[in-house]
Amino acid sequence: MYCLYAFNGELMCFVHVLLNALDMKEKGKEAIIVFEGMAVTLVPELEKSENPFHALYQKAREAGLIAGACKACSSKLGVLDAVKSAGLPLLDDMSGHPSMAAYMDKGYTILTF
C-alpha cells in the first residue's frame, strides 16, 4: 500500500504522481494520492476540462485514488473554495495538515513528490 504525497505545485511533476498511482493500481497495488503544500493549487487547474491533463486526473478520481487535499495549505494558498467545490476531502488531522503517521499506521508506505 502506497500513499503518494504530492507537495510540488508544478503540473508536469504532478502528472507523474497521477501516472504512478494509476500504474500501481493497474498492477494490483493499493495507492492513494494526497495533495499537500503547493500541489493543492493544481486542483482548480485540473478541474478545468480544457486542461490537457484533466482526463488523466478524472481517471485517477474515478479509480478512487485521490484521498484528499490539505485543508491548511488550501486555505493559505487561496484554493479552499475550489477544493471544496471539486468535492475533494479536506485532510486536517495534524494541526490542519494530513498526517503521514496516520497513513503509516494504516500500513501505507509514504512516497513524496
Side-chain angles (χ1 to χ4, degrees):
M1 296 185 350
Y2 298 93
C3 182
L4 289 69
Y5 263 69
F7 287 91
N8 191 316
E10 293 292 325
L11 182 58
M12 291 306 295
C13 289
F14 187 75
V15 166
H16 292 90
V17 174
L18 294 171
L19 290 170
N20 276 290
L22 287 163
D23 184 56
M24 288 177 187
K25 181 173 177 65
E26 288 170 10
K27 292 180 174 156
K29 299 180 186 318
E30 185 175 337
I32 56 172
I33 297 169
V34 172
F35 284 87
E36 174 64 290
M38 288 298 295
V40 300
T41 63
L42 297 174
V43 173
E45 296 306 312
L46 290 165
E47 284 289 323
K48 295 176 185 173
S49 60
E50 64 271 14
N51 185 293
F53 300 109
H54 173 76
L56 188 65
Y57 166 72
Q58 282 303 114
K59 184 176 179 181
R61 285 195 70 170
E62 290 167 7
L65 298 176
I66 309 292
C70 175
K71 183 177 182 180
C73 291
S74 296
S75 178
K76 182 72 173 172
L77 296 169
V79 295
L80 183 61
D81 289 340
V83 171
K84 285 180 181 177
S85 293
L88 295 183
L90 292 168
L91 307 174
D92 64 353
D93 57 326
M94 183 191 70
S95 300
H97 300 270
S99 168
M100 287 184 183
Y103 285 107
M104 292 168 75
D105 287 346
K106 293 176 186 174
Y108 286 94
T109 297
I110 305 294
L111 302 174
T112 58
F113 294 83

